[in-house]
Amino acid sequence: MSQMRYGDIFRAGFGTPLKEESGVWTYEQLPVLYFVFRPTAHILLPERRIHDNTIAEFYDTVEEEDFEKFAQVAKSKTNLCVSHLFVVNRASEYHVFDTYDPRVRVSYTSSSYIRYEIMEDLLTKKATIQEYIEKVKNIEKCRPPAERDPNFQLRDNQGVALGEDQTFMLEICKPEYEDDDDDNYEREPDYLDVFGGPCHAVISGSVEIGADFGFEVVGGITYLTHDGWYVCISPEESCPGVTVSAEIPPKERRIHIHYTADGNILMSGWNSDTYVFCEWVKSSCGVVYVTASDDAILRGGPMKLAVIRGQGSE
């Protein structure tokens, strides 16, 4: 039995590939073929956009889970579905197969943040399944080193050392955007900020903020500060973020600053494999969180910041 589903065209919102022509809504992309284990089919919740534009073929027992057979079915639907891959779903697990070599697959779970990027990249052929397999195999190579530098000295983005009496902004370094078709468009900077007192850090889009960051060296350790407060990792165990404290933070909440090859900085937990990442909530603001998640590393890596010296701090 097959079932096809599209997202509500009125819910699809900005960026939907649905287009109207002469009163008829059409979808330019072929659907993705899913083979779904019927007893756990409720996992495919309708509000999850990753499941939009799909055709589902259901199977009822684990014994029917024959990937070679699924590949043959996918090949028979070449003009009806995306031809180079298909997805097998059982419970919270998803496996994306190469239609022409079902021995090649990449897997993720329903809680994996990177599932959207995987499907988008594979469908648009920005990456192959094999390339994702290699990424996962070499995940530790993508994780920046966390060793402490005993000769660490905070510098601005020009490589000039800063003094403890000088202030600066932390600008988020962003990759070149393939979507920017207008060569004359100049992207405005985004910044890390903390809104007043012991609040969590946020990322603020296209807003000129004050140079409120500084640092203090205590016992040979450089502590980042914001408006006189010590910047540190928040105490939540489940999903820690970045916050500030009136007191010097204990070792387990201390932030470790690392320099990248291009002279910008990353932040991590002290001598740990947790790094500081950012996630845009909407175009003008976002959140900052701390994790050791492989998903976060694969999605683009830790938040990279440029230290921009404030006016009057020369």
Side-chain angles (χ1 to χ4, degrees), residues 206-231:
S206 304
V207 177
E208 186 70 27
I209 63 174
D212 294 327
F213 284 97
F215 72 96
E216 184 177 329
V217 179
V218 181
I221 296 173
T222 299
Y223 293 90
L224 191 66
T225 63
H226 181 274
D227 201 21
W229 298 71
Y230 294 98
V231 180

Side-chain angles (χ1 to χ4, degrees), residues 86-156:
F86 63 90
V87 179
V88 176
N89 163 245
R90 176 150 58 95
S92 62
E93 295 183 351
Y94 297 81
H95 307 282
V96 187
F97 288 84
D98 185 327
T99 302
Y100 300 97
D101 186 358
R103 295 169 299 176
V104 178
R105 69 178 179 184
V106 64
S107 304
Y108 57 87
T109 66
S110 57
S111 62
S112 174
Y113 287 112
I114 200 169
R115 63 192 186 278
Y116 298 105
E117 282 77 6
I118 288 177
M119 288 306 297
E120 181 178 351
D121 286 352
L122 295 180
L123 289 173
T124 58
K125 298 186 178 180
K126 291 180 182 177
T128 65
I129 295 175
Q130 189 61 48
E131 285 172 340
Y132 264 105
I133 292 171
E134 292 303 316
K135 269 189 177 183
V136 173
K137 281 183 181 177
N138 297 300
I139 185 66
E140 291 308 315
K141 293 181 181 179
C142 301
R143 197 181 298 279
E147 296 84 7
R148 182 186 172 196
D149 178 3
N151 300 312
F152 179 83
Q153 186 174 30
L154 195 61
R155 306 182 299 272
D156 65 15

Side-chain angles (χ1 to χ4, degrees), residues 127-247:
T128 65
I129 295 175
Q130 189 61 48
E131 285 172 340
Y132 264 105
I133 292 171
E134 292 303 316
K135 269 189 177 183
V136 173
K137 281 183 181 177
N138 297 300
I139 185 66
E140 291 308 315
K141 293 181 181 179
C142 301
R143 197 181 298 279
E147 296 84 7
R148 182 186 172 196
D149 178 3
N151 300 312
F152 179 83
Q153 186 174 30
L154 195 61
R155 306 182 299 272
D156 65 15
N157 62 328
Q158 302 300 315
V160 180
L162 288 159
E164 292 185 57
D165 60 339
Q166 295 174 313
T167 59
F168 50 89
M169 297 180 290
L170 293 176
E171 181 181 329
I172 299 169
C173 302
K174 294 171 292 189
E176 294 297 323
Y177 286 82
E178 297 178 2
D179 300 351
D180 293 342
D181 298 326
D182 186 355
D183 294 335
N184 297 318
Y185 176 73
E186 184 176 349
R187 182 170 291 275
E188 295 179 327
D190 301 325
Y191 299 95
L192 183 69
D193 197 8
V194 180
F195 290 141
C199 300
H200 280 67
V202 298
I203 47 178
S204 181
S206 304
V207 177
E208 186 70 27
I209 63 174
D212 294 327
F213 284 97
F215 72 96
E216 184 177 329
V217 179
V218 181
I221 296 173
T222 299
Y223 293 90
L224 191 66
T225 63
H226 181 274
D227 201 21
W229 298 71
Y230 294 98
V231 180
C232 59
I233 296 173
S234 62
E236 295 93 348
E237 293 184 5
S238 60
C239 188
V242 173
T243 186
V244 291
S245 169
E247 305 293 333

Side-chain angles (χ1 to χ4, degrees), residues 15-30:
T16 175
L18 287 164
K19 294 188 177 180
E20 185 180 15
E21 185 175 345
S22 301
V24 177
W25 287 91
T26 60
Y27 205 100
E28 291 186 338
Q29 300 170 0
L30 287 172

